[in-house]
Amino acid sequence: MKITFFGGVRTVTGSCTLLEINGKRILIECGMHQGEDADEINLTPFPFKPEGIDALFLTHAHIDHSGLAPKLVKEGFTGSIIATKATADLADVMLRDSAGIQEKDAEWLTKKSFRAGKDIVFKPLYTVKDVAALTELFERKDYGKIEHFGKAIKYRFLDAGHILGSGTLELWYPGDDGQKKIVFSGDIGRKGNPVVNDPRTLELADYVVVESTYGNRLHKGTKESVDELVEAIKETFRRGGNVMIPAFAVGRTQDLLYILNRLVKERRLPKLDVYIDSPLAEEATRIYLSHPELFDEDAIRMFNEARGDMVRMHFTTSVEESQNINRIRSGAIIIAGSGMCTGGRIRHHFKQNLWRPECSVIFVGFQARGTLGRNIVDGAKKVWVLGDEVAVKSRIYTIGGFSAHADQQELLEWLSVFTSNPRLFVVHGEELVSLGFAELIKQKLRLDARVPLLGESFNI
């Protein structure tokens, strides 16, 4: 088998790996790039012919893993898209949302160019119609069941514990000296994460492609992180401000709602008004609630017992409702996308509140280099938001304990379960992080680990 890494190497976005096995061409992920030069990279033609791809496997629905799949379909892909049932459901709403944003952005840029007398027509990367064509190609699979692709290839998804439906992919294929197995970790979750089950581990593999998002750091403990969240909210309300939380609409938002509900139930926080300013987050939350079979026991108990103690959730469905939130000067928790502040409605709330010293921003997820979120986390005093320079005077909190990604120790523990001494490819991490984590694997686990270059191929 030949494996080629076309994305998600020495960076955390744009995951995309091509497998060529016995005449079959299989993609693992087709993710969108985020951060520096993202638009230019996403517009670049695929380094392979989309019509020649036989299948696309998605480990989960996040845009950095699925976001270019509609472009793949638009440019000729007609094969199967293989994912868990929940991943297929979430990818449908996430990609429709992505397409809608692109269509609106293209329309706005075209009008702007016409007003400037340039007559440039901008086109979206893909449209809602392209996403509709994509959803017809999904093959929805259950966790744990070994499936066949063609005559010689078998595969199975195991729960990765990252977001609803996220999977670690096992793939068996014929090698020179018998059957071989490669494992794609996907994004590995943390033990004890809210709502979803803990990640499953594996003992046997010949090769493992493992993520390294937090391969250079340890997360704060869950209890410590919850305590910090409580204090941040209380202190902000005492100052008379609002709390802004940039959060991914799928995964992080649902985890936060669970945690806030629990804190209200335990009376550690008063009744809260939480504004979820993301139509996508509302749809994703409904999908979460439609898959209780994937919840862990604590989440099932919470949703069954805490109905009367639920926070007051306000989902916005229109631009007008989103704008109305800005009339609230204090006492509100505003959860809005995008998680890295590269788009979405969080930017509008930053424009109204980021310059207010009584307000706070709580970052609960990874901020990639080159994003607005990363600039703020790194201490920028002023940032550009929607064309205006805005002073950063709100109090900034970074609470890593709510991450949906395993940290360095948890990644090492996940890898340490393998007893077959697999060869490792370290991906999905910033370059220095991946390189450092590969060296740590060699030292701690005595395993062969390498960090591929973009476009690099290996025969395995």
Side-chain angles (χ1 to χ4, degrees):
M1 179 175 77
K2 182 180 179 181
I3 182 171
T4 306
F5 295 90
F6 284 123
V9 290
R10 304 182 184 228
T11 182
V12 293
T13 66
S15 293
C16 184
T17 305
L18 176 65
L19 307 180
E20 297 172 81
I21 319 167
N22 284 9
K24 297 288 187 183
R25 294 167 63 83
I26 296 171
L27 274 189
I28 313 296
E29 322 284 36
C30 192
M32 182 177 283
H33 294 265
Q34 297 165 299
E36 293 177 324
D37 302 321
D39 290 342
E40 181 181 344
I41 295 171
N42 290 324
L43 285 168
T44 302
F46 289 111
F48 46 78
K49 294 181 178 180
E51 67 272 18
I53 302 299
D54 297 290
L56 167 63
F57 284 81
L58 296 179
T59 63
H60 64 288
H62 277 153
I63 291 295
D64 60 326
H65 291 256
S66 70
L68 290 188
K71 180 187 175 188
L72 191 75
V73 172
K74 179 181 179 180
E75 296 183 5
F77 172 74
T78 58
S80 301
I81 301 177
I82 301 171
T84 66
K85 294 175 180 176
T87 291
D89 291 344
L90 288 170
D92 179 32
V93 300
M94 293 188 74
L95 294 172
R96 279 194 284 112
D97 180 77
S98 174
I101 291 171
Q102 291 176 54
E103 288 178 335
K104 289 177 182 176
D105 285 350
E107 181 182 358
W108 180 80
L109 288 169
T110 299
K111 287 181 178 178
K112 185 178 179 182
S113 77
F114 276 40
R115 284 196 300 267
K118 296 180 180 179
D119 295 337
I120 301 172
V121 177
F122 289 84
K123 294 183 179 180
L125 194 61
Y126 51 80
T127 66
V128 173
K129 185 177 179 180
D130 295 322
V131 175
L134 173 147
T135 56
E136 295 179 2
L137 302 178
F138 268 116
E139 292 187 13
R140 293 165 162 81
K141 304 299 179 180
D142 292 315
Y143 284 131
K145 183 180 179 181
I146 295 178
E147 305 272 2
H148 291 263
F149 183 77
K151 295 181 180 179
I153 300 169
K154 298 185 296 184
Y155 65 90
R156 174 171 64 179
F157 289 105
L158 298 178
D159 198 336
H162 176 58
I163 64 170
L164 193 80
S166 61
T168 292
L169 175 65
E170 298 175 277
L171 193 145
W172 292 266
Y173 64 96
D176 293 336
D177 55 350
Q179 180 175 264
K180 300 291 184 181
K181 182 169 78 168
I182 185 169
V183 170
F184 292 84
S185 72
D187 286 357
I188 302 170
R190 305 189 65 200
K191 291 181 180 179
N193 256 353
V195 185
V196 298
N197 289 301
D198 289 349
R200 289 279 304 276
T201 56
L202 293 159
E203 294 183 359
L204 301 177
D206 297 288
Y207 302 92
V208 178
V209 179
V210 62
E211 67 119 325
S212 59
T213 313
Y214 286 103
N216 66 335
R217 71 189 80 174
L218 302 177
H219 294 317
K220 295 177 182 176
T222 301
K223 181 182 181 303
E224 182 183 357
S225 297
V226 170
D227 290 346
E228 189 175 353
L229 177 67
V230 170
E231 186 54 35
I233 292 171
K234 286 183 174 179
E235 177 59 29
T236 305
F237 288 174
R238 280 195 292 266
R239 296 197 307 270
N242 294 323
V243 174
M244 295 170 285
I245 306 179
F248 295 105
V250 177
R252 202 62 44 83
T253 293
Q254 291 74 33
D255 290 350
L256 285 169
L257 292 175
Y258 170 90
I259 292 167
L260 293 172
N261 284 326
R262 193 181 74 195
L263 291 171
V264 172
K265 178 179 170 61
E266 295 171 353
R267 292 179 169 78
R268 295 187 63 188
L269 288 174
K271 290 277 188 175
L272 297 171
D273 283 292
V274 180
Y275 295 84
I276 300 96
D277 192 13
S278 167
L280 173 58
E282 181 177 16
E283 286 193 78
T285 301
R286 287 175 178 159
I287 290 173
Y288 261 67
L289 295 174
S290 72
H291 284 282
E293 75 279 4
L294 302 181
F295 292 176
D296 64 20
E297 292 182 3
D298 289 341
I300 292 172
R301 190 179 306 113
M302 171 64 71
F303 285 118
N304 287 337
E305 295 177 359
R307 297 290 179 182
D309 295 300
M310 288 284 190
V311 299
R312 292 184 288 265
M313 292 187 292
H314 309 272
F315 287 97
T316 61
T317 57
S318 68
V319 173
E320 183 180 8
E321 289 177 347
S322 176
Q323 292 171 340
N324 287 340
I325 297 173
N326 292 322
R327 298 194 179 103
I328 304 168
R329 307 306 290 168
S330 65
I333 295 177
I334 304 166
I335 301 175
S338 67
M340 297 185 193
C341 314
T342 54
R345 295 180 176 178
I346 192 64
R347 294 176 301 169
H348 295 275
H349 298 296
F350 278 178
K351 199 168 184 177
Q352 298 295 325
N353 292 286
L354 194 59
W355 50 271
R356 299 175 59 207
E358 64 269 29
C359 292
S360 294
V361 181
I362 301 177
F363 288 98
V364 293
F366 185 83
Q367 305 299 308
R369 185 177 289 117
T371 62
L372 173 58
R374 179 64 167 264
N375 292 341
I376 294 173
V377 167
D378 285 346
K381 301 301 182 185
K382 294 182 179 179
V383 292
W384 287 93
V385 182
L386 298 172
D388 291 331
E389 191 174 43
V390 179
V392 182
K393 293 188 176 181
S394 292
R395 188 165 298 184
I396 309 301
Y397 297 87
T398 302
I399 307 180
F402 295 136
S403 174
H405 284 272
D407 66 11
Q408 182 189 85
Q409 184 58 40
E410 290 163 330
L411 288 170
L412 288 173
E413 289 175 1
W414 188 85
L415 288 169
S416 70
V417 177
F418 285 98
T419 59
S420 54
N421 296 318
R423 289 177 57 191
L424 307 184
F425 297 101
V426 180
V427 301
H428 202 286
E430 293 183 349
E431 184 169 29
L432 293 179
V433 175
S434 293
L435 290 169
F437 187 58
E439 289 302 314
L440 189 65
I441 290 170
K442 294 174 186 177
Q443 295 169 15
K444 297 283 188 180
L445 303 180
R446 305 297 182 193
L447 295 175
D448 178 20
R450 64 175 65 195
V451 181
L453 294 166
L454 184 65
E456 190 170 11
S457 297
F458 301 88
N459 290 309
I460 61 173

